[in-house]
Amino acid sequence: FIAVENIDSYCVLISSKAVYFLKSGDNTDREAIFLEVKYDDLYHCLVSKDHGEVYIQLTKKAVNTSSGVAMPGPSQQRPMV
């Protein structure tokens, strides 16, 4: 456990192995996690602003690559929170 940040209707929990995005309310239940990104799976992280809102785009590594080089995956591998 490193930090917890409450943001509007959800909470971000940062640990030494992953970042967890949780629904607001009871954060002790595993089902409260709606997005978990392990650092081993993270390819790139980008912070952007749009109409006064701040978004974090997390690009996960591709599952399989023929070259063995980690490249960004398809759109479902690039969640924006």
Side-chain angles (χ1 to χ4, degrees), residues 1-4 12-20 36-39:
F1 172 75
I2 295 175
V4 173
V12 180
L13 186 141
I14 302 169
S15 76
S16 60
K17 297 190 185 238
V19 177
Y20 304 92
E36 174 183 352
V37 180
K38 296 180 181 175
Y39 295 131

Side-chain angles (χ1 to χ4, degrees), residues 30 32 37 43 52 60 64 66 71-72 79:
R30 179 111 176 121
V37 180
Y43 177 76
K60 297 169 73 176
N64 293 320
S66 58
M71 297 298 291

Side-chain angles (χ1 to χ4, degrees), residues 25-46:
D26 184 13
N27 295 335
T28 60
D29 188 0
R30 179 111 176 121
E31 291 187 13
I33 299 171
F34 66 87
L35 178 63
E36 174 183 352
V37 180
K38 296 180 181 175
Y39 295 131
D40 290 342
D41 297 335
L42 189 61
Y43 177 76
H44 187 261
C45 180
L46 177 68

